[in-house]
Amino acid sequence: MTENRQWLINGRPRGRGLVDDDFKKVVTQVPEVTEGHVLVKNEILAFDPAQKGWMENIGGYVAPTEIGEVMRGSGIGTVVESRDSAFAAGDKVMGGLRWQDYAMLTGSELIKVPDDDLLSANLGALGTTGLTAYFGLLKHGRPQPGDTLVVSGAAGATGSMVGQIGKIAGCRTIGIAGGKDKCDWLTQEVGYDHAIDYKNEDVRAKLKELCNQSINVFYDNVGGKILNDALAHIAMHARIVICGGISRYEQGDMPAGPENYFNLIFKRGTMSGFIMNDYASEFPEAKKRMRQWIKEDKITFKEDIQEGFDNIPETLKRLFAGQNFGKQLLRLD
C-alpha cells in the first residue's frame, strides 16, 4: 500500500512560541476506503493563527485536541477513491484534510470546489479568511457610507479582505500593518486610503492625526496595545469587532483588558466577538458575492505559498513571526 506521511500533535504550546518538538512526523499506511467515505490526496494546506489555539485547547469552540492526533488543518485535494455516490475520482474537494498526504473522510465532511484559477482561493479569499472578513464586518461592524473603518493586522489574509469589503460599503479605510512593504501594498494595490506602520510609527499619534475621535468601525485582529490605541479615538456609536488577538498568542495568560474600555460608555459604543461558523447557513450567498467582487476587480488578494511536506510546521510558525504576506498556504510535494 502507499505510505501516508503525517504530522502529529506532540506538545501544548501554551504561553510560548511553537517549537519543533510540538510536532512529530510519522509514516503510516493509506487506509482502506470504507462505505460512505472518500479518500483524498492532499495538495494544498491552509494555515491560520487559530491552529495554535487548537493545540492549546483554549476557546472551547472546537473539540479538544489530543496529543498524538494528526494535526488539524484545512486543505484542498483530489479524490483518489470514493465510496460515496456524490463524489468521483478526480473531483477537487476541500475540507479538514489535516497535515497528511491522504485523508479519508465521509462525504458530508467534504465540499466540491471548481478546478479553476481560483482553486487555492477557496482556502483564503473564498474560504475561512474571506468569510471571517465578510461576516465580521457586515454583521458586527455594520459599515455605512462615509464611515471611517480602521483595521489592525490589515495586511493579513483577513484584514486585507476587510478593508476591501469596507471600500465596497463606502467607507474611508485605514490599515495598521508591520513594515513599509506591507503598508505600500495596502495603499497601492488593496485600496486602503491610509496605512500605519506599527513597526516604525507611533500608532496612537497616527490615529489622532488621521481619525481623531472619528473611528466608526474598528476591526481588530491583534488586541493588546493597538486595541487600546484605537479605543482612544472612537466616534459616537462606534462598533468594535473582535476577530483575533495575535498579540496574545505567545503569552501564557489572557492579556489584561483595554485600559480605556470606558470610552465605550462615553461614546455609546459596542464591542462584540463572533465565530464565522455562526453564519454557516449564509456561506453560499457570501461566497457567490465575493467571487463576483473578485471577477469585477473590486477585491484583490495575495497568497504566500510555501512548498514541501517537511516544511509544514515551519509554515505555521511564519504566521507568528509576521513572515507571511497574504494568506499562508503550502503545496505538498
Side-chain angles (χ1 to χ4, degrees):
M1 291 182 66
T2 303
E3 292 184 338
N4 187 27
R5 296 171 298 176
Q6 298 177 319
W7 281 104
L8 309 182
I9 297 174
N10 195 51
R12 299 279 187 218
R14 292 194 183 111
R16 58 169 174 82
L18 293 164
V19 297
D20 292 345
D21 286 345
D22 287 328
F23 305 100
K24 179 181 179 181
K25 181 183 174 182
V26 299
V27 179
T28 61
Q29 298 297 310
V30 175
E32 185 174 332
V33 184
T34 56
E35 189 64 34
H37 287 74
V38 179
L39 182 66
V40 180
K41 176 69 171 70
N42 212 345
E43 296 172 353
I44 309 170
L45 283 175
F47 297 82
D48 297 288
Q51 287 173 278
K52 183 174 183 286
W54 300 345
M55 295 173 68
E56 297 169 325
N57 283 341
I58 62 173
Y61 66 94
V62 296
T65 58
E66 302 291 340
I67 298 294
E69 77 170 77
V70 182
M71 178 61 188
R72 297 177 187 176
S74 298
I76 288 175
T78 300
V79 174
V80 176
E81 183 181 345
S82 175
R83 297 191 66 183
D84 181 316
S85 60
F87 298 89
D91 285 346
K92 294 290 186 183
V93 294
M94 68 175 290
L97 303 184
R98 300 185 178 236
W99 288 8
Q100 55 189 347
D101 286 316
Y102 293 90
M104 186 174 71
L105 301 172
T106 63
S108 62
E109 297 175 281
L110 295 168
I111 300 171
K112 285 186 185 179
V113 291
D115 187 8
D116 58 16
D117 58 353
L118 291 178
L119 179 64
S120 60
N122 288 288
L123 293 172
L126 295 174
T128 301
T129 49
L131 293 171
T132 298
Y134 181 95
F135 290 110
L137 181 61
L138 299 183
K139 296 288 189 179
H140 293 262
R142 304 186 301 280
Q144 300 296 317
D147 277 354
T148 292
L149 164 66
V150 177
V151 183
S152 65
T158 298
S160 59
M161 293 285 288
V162 173
Q164 293 175 96
I165 296 171
K167 291 299 288 186
I168 292 169
C171 295
R172 172 179 177 252
T173 56
I174 299 167
I176 303 171
K180 184 178 186 302
D181 289 346
K182 290 182 178 181
C183 288
D184 287 347
W185 178 67
L186 288 178
T187 55
Q188 295 171 16
E189 296 186 44
V190 177
Y192 271 87
D193 294 300
H194 302 278
I196 299 172
D197 179 358
Y198 74 83
K199 291 184 176 180
N200 297 296
E201 296 181 290
D202 183 324
V203 173
R204 184 174 289 212
K206 288 297 293 185
L207 287 174
K208 183 175 182 179
E209 174 189 331
L210 293 170
C211 48
N212 190 27
Q213 308 299 305
S214 68
I215 299 174
N216 304 104
V217 183
F218 179 59
Y219 193 107
D220 189 29
N221 293 299
V222 175
K225 183 178 183 301
I226 287 180
L227 171 58
N228 213 43
D229 291 344
L231 285 173
H233 296 290
I234 58 174
M236 195 68 74
H237 304 296
R239 286 83 68 197
I240 314 301
V241 184
I242 304 299
C243 176
I246 201 164
S247 68
R248 72 161 181 81
Y249 290 152
E250 307 292 288
Q251 300 175 9
D253 301 314
M254 297 295 282
E259 298 169 1
N260 54 1
Y261 73 94
F262 255 57
N263 254 8
L264 294 169
I265 297 175
F266 304 146
K267 296 300 178 71
R268 289 72 153 179
T270 60
M271 180 184 289
S272 58
F274 71 101
I275 298 296
M276 176 202 68
N277 288 338
D278 296 344
Y279 304 101
S281 64
E282 299 179 54
F283 285 1
E285 178 61 25
K287 289 183 179 183
K288 181 180 177 181
R289 290 184 74 186
M290 289 193 292
R291 184 175 280 269
Q292 186 62 36
W293 288 336
I294 291 170
K295 289 182 177 179
E296 294 173 351
D297 292 326
K298 292 180 178 178
I299 284 182
T300 186
F301 58 92
K302 196 174 187 68
E303 296 175 333
D304 184 323
I305 304 178
Q306 301 297 300
E307 302 280 346
F309 187 89
D310 287 344
N311 289 327
I312 290 174
E314 288 299 322
T315 301
L316 180 59
K317 291 179 188 178
R318 288 173 61 84
L319 297 176
F320 303 99
Q323 293 175 308
N324 65 301
F325 198 163
K327 178 63 182 180
Q328 187 66 74
L329 303 173
L330 177 139
R331 290 190 186 276
L332 281 73
D333 47 22

